[in-house]
Amino acid sequence: MIETAFMCLALNIYFEARNQPISGQIAVAQVVLNRVAHQRYPSTICAVVKQGPTRPSWRDKNIKIPIKHRCQFSWYCDGKSDKPKELDAFRWASFVAHGVMQSDFTDYTHGATHYHSIEVFPRWALAAKKIDAIGDHIFYKY
């Protein structure tokens, strides 16, 4: 698969929010764009999506691979395939990615840079300002 900003965003939407309503998928995408716009995070969509600690590959020390379960977005370094299996869901994620990148959708998160599933409560959420809950995710701003 070719790495482009569009593909990185579509994959992030797919793996993080494919079971969410469209508003939840837009919100997850918007968090990525909000991070790109924030000085604290990398300045490209792919760098934001793939942000996390790396280690040298055992095959080639010049290749850096993400450390399992330490990425900003869990799907990227969970050790599973990053190839979408549900094609209809990936088409929707792609539609959302296109719309968000073209500024066709409202930022339902009001500038949020973080979110988590309602099934967990990460320590960082204590220090952040809760913005809203959309679908199965809670969105925050620092």
Side-chain angles (χ1 to χ4, degrees):
M1 221 176 256
I2 298 171
E3 179 177 287
T4 63
F6 170 77
M7 187 58 68
C8 289
L9 189 59
L11 287 170
N12 199 61
I13 296 163
Y14 173 83
F15 284 109
E16 291 283 315
R18 71 179 172 269
N19 66 339
Q20 298 302 297
I22 293 297
S23 60
Q25 292 183 30
I26 293 168
V28 163
Q30 195 62 54
V31 165
V32 173
L33 295 188
N34 291 343
R35 285 186 178 199
V36 168
H38 197 285
Q39 64 188 15
R40 207 171 142 190
Y41 299 96
S43 59
T44 69
I45 290 172
C46 288
V48 164
V49 168
K50 296 179 177 190
Q51 185 179 13
T54 60
R55 65 175 178 75
S57 168
W58 60 274
R59 289 184 179 169
D60 181 345
K61 301 292 182 206
N62 295 317
I63 296 174
K64 302 285 186 191
I65 57 173
I67 297 174
K68 194 171 183 179
H69 303 302
R70 301 277 314 275
C71 297
Q72 293 291 312
F73 298 100
S74 58
W75 69 270
Y76 183 66
C77 61
D78 63 5
K80 298 176 185 175
S81 171
D82 294 341
K83 184 175 181 180
K85 290 181 174 66
E86 300 171 36
L87 296 182
D88 285 342
F90 186 67
R91 282 187 200 98
W92 272 110
S94 297
F95 169 78
V96 171
H98 178 76
V100 170
M101 290 178 76
Q102 298 299 315
S103 301
D104 290 344
F105 300 123
T106 301
D107 179 5
Y108 296 112
T109 72
H110 305 286
T113 54
H114 292 73
Y115 65 87
H116 65 79
S117 164
I118 60 173
E119 296 178 11
V120 300
F121 190 80
R123 212 173 328 148
W124 58 258
L126 293 170
K129 179 184 177 192
K130 182 179 174 183
I131 302 297
D132 202 356
I134 302 170
D136 290 346
H137 291 105
I138 302 171
F139 293 83
Y140 298 84
K141 192 180 203 177
Y142 271 95

